Amino acid sequence: MVEGLEMICFQIISNVGTARSSYIEAIHRAKDRDFEGAKQCLKAGQEEFLKGHEAHFELLQKEAKGTPVGGSLILIHAEDQLMSAEGFKIIAEELIAGYRQMEALEKRLEESGK
């Protein structure tokens, strides 16, 4: 088993948990038409996600080189959190695009006098 596995797992969980929170905040900001704030939240989330992804990739590289990583509930949880954060990023990007389209349509309607 990899030495310090638990710490690596907690690092992944912490980083991607922060990323997921940033993605959710981005959705809220976009809903409030704060698209610049949403963009900043996505950027912050991506930075944290990459930290977690790098730690996870380190474990995968060790396993590929023949160093047994070891299976544990905490590793499964870390991977689950990693995938969850990635899913939230995709959802956030799609919702923000939708809110931008809605705002553009609303502006066009206002400009046309309807």
Side-chain angles (χ1 to χ4, degrees), residues 34-84:
D34 177 10
F35 296 113
E36 185 57 36
K39 181 180 174 182
Q40 293 302 317
C41 287
L42 282 176
K43 182 180 180 208
Q46 183 63 16
E47 289 169 3
E48 287 299 312
F49 182 82
L50 286 175
K51 290 176 190 175
H53 185 272
E54 288 167 4
H56 184 254
F57 189 67
E58 177 186 328
L59 292 176
L60 292 175
Q61 285 179 317
K62 289 179 191 252
E63 185 90 10
K65 290 178 182 177
T67 303
V69 171
S72 70
L73 185 56
I74 194 74
L75 178 57
I76 293 167
H77 179 61
E79 290 178 330
D80 179 56
Q81 293 300 301
L82 186 74
M83 291 176 9
S84 173

